[in-house]
Amino acid sequence: VLGNGSESVLMLAIRALCSGEDEFLTSEGGFVIIYNWARINNVRCVAMPMAKDYSFDLEAIKSRINRNTKIIYLANVNNPTGTMITKAEIEDFMQHVPDHILVVMDEAYFEYSEAMSEDFPNSLEMDYPNMLTLRTFSKAYGIAGVRLGFAVGDERIINAMMKAKLTFEPTALAQAAGMGALDDTGSVSYTHLRA
């Protein structure tokens, strides 16, 4: 599903999937707008303290899962702290998350993160039907002002989101810019970024 940036797609997921007593579970110290999106949609936002190294404390988040938890938001890498969650940590975490809870992996900086560490996980390669991956054209593709982001996930999740999506979002211009960016493969090169 496409939207006006990945943050818009996150708001769409909250709007489409949460109601009543549902809770949005995440960490303190993340991208500031995520907390607002939960509140704007009248969803209780529970933000657990960060670990000492300013990473998402996955153990603390796991311990806070309850019957009201509907969405868990993880940023990899996290903005603004720059901390990373490894593939092994994600896999362990997912073993403790009930299937009815959606785990949103925000990978807005994926292209840079993958280039800086060969150990950086790609959630699109993980086979979890309750995982939604967010990506954006704003960073590595350099078209932030055009506003184009997307989410990839299980068909049932995407279908639910499409029912709540604004009809004309994103614009035709943004979609054309995204198609052009995908064709411009020379501008996004990982090898020159690796140390």
Side-chain angles (χ1 to χ4, degrees):
V1 61
L2 298 171
N4 292 339
S6 56
E7 67 181 74
S8 174
V9 179
L10 174 61
M11 183 168 180
L12 173 60
I14 296 170
R15 184 171 63 228
L17 303 173
C18 295
S19 63
E21 299 298 313
D22 292 341
E23 292 182 354
F24 179 86
L25 178 57
T26 188
S27 172
E28 295 175 350
F31 181 42
V32 67
I33 200 69
I34 64 172
Y35 315 108
N36 293 340
W37 281 166
R39 290 183 192 105
I40 287 168
N41 286 282
N42 296 315
V43 176
R44 182 171 184 227
C45 180
V46 178
M48 302 303 292
M50 300 193 100
K52 290 182 180 180
D53 65 352
Y54 301 105
S55 64
F56 278 40
D57 189 336
L58 299 181
E59 292 301 317
I61 293 172
K62 281 191 293 191
S63 73
R64 184 53 179 79
I65 294 172
N66 62 41
R67 64 182 181 85
N68 293 327
T69 306
K70 190 64 173 269
I71 294 178
I72 298 173
Y73 172 90
L74 304 175
N76 203 24
V77 295
N78 182 42
N79 173 15
T81 65
T83 53
M84 173 181 121
I85 306 169
T86 68
K87 182 177 181 181
E89 289 170 333
I90 293 171
E91 289 176 341
D92 176 72
F93 182 79
M94 292 303 293
Q95 299 306 312
H96 295 85
V97 176
D99 293 341
H100 66 278
I101 297 174
L102 179 65
V103 176
V104 174
M105 294 296 303
D106 187 343
E107 296 180 350
Y109 294 92
F110 175 78
E111 293 83 2
Y112 300 106
S113 308
E114 184 184 45
M116 292 187 293
S117 172
E118 293 183 9
D119 296 328
F120 190 78
N122 180 350
S123 67
L124 292 178
E125 296 175 350
M126 298 180 177
D127 189 23
Y128 296 106
N130 61 328
M131 182 179 282
L132 184 72
T133 299
L134 303 182
R135 298 274 177 92
T136 183
F137 285 84
S138 296
K139 311 300 189 257
Y141 290 97
I143 55 173
V146 176
R147 306 307 304 147
L148 183 64
F150 62 95
V152 177
D154 186 84
E155 184 177 5
R156 293 169 304 154
I157 296 166
I158 299 300
N159 285 342
M161 292 171 67
M162 291 297 288
K163 291 176 183 175
K165 184 177 177 297
L166 295 175
T167 307
F168 302 109
E169 177 190 358
T171 65
L173 175 62
Q175 292 177 58
M179 295 300 289
L182 290 175
D183 288 337
D184 187 15
T185 55
S187 295
V188 180
S189 174
Y190 307 126
T191 55
H192 75 280
L193 293 173
R194 287 208 169 116

